[in-house]
Amino acid sequence: MLPKDPILLLSVVNTKLRDNYPSLEELCHAEDADPQEIIQTLDAVGYVYQPDLNQFR
């Protein structure tokens, strides 16, 4: 289960993307998470998913 706090979510998601998953879609599939929910939550605190870097910045 991914954290609800946006800053903790950012840290966990970026770490998982770096260490385990080649894309946000694969991470969401494995974690049974909604990619749009993650994107919206992190966008609200100023972070955008960059597929070419496979991280939120």
Side-chain angles (χ1 to χ4, degrees):
M1 176 160 238
L2 296 172
K4 298 295 180 192
D5 178 87
I7 301 306
L8 290 176
L9 179 63
L10 173 67
S11 178
V12 168
V13 167
N14 272 346
T15 299
K16 287 180 179 274
L17 287 170
R18 181 191 69 218
D19 294 346
N20 302 104
Y21 300 103
S23 70
L24 179 60
E25 292 76 23
E26 289 192 35
L27 179 145
C28 289
H29 179 73
E31 298 285 333
D32 195 30
D34 178 6
Q36 288 306 314
E37 184 177 329
I38 293 172
I39 289 169
Q40 290 172 351
T41 299
L42 295 179
D43 184 57
V45 292
Y47 290 89
V48 176
Y49 181 62
Q50 296 186 8
D52 56 319
L53 300 174
N54 194 34
Q55 65 180 227
F56 283 86
R57 290 186 129 193

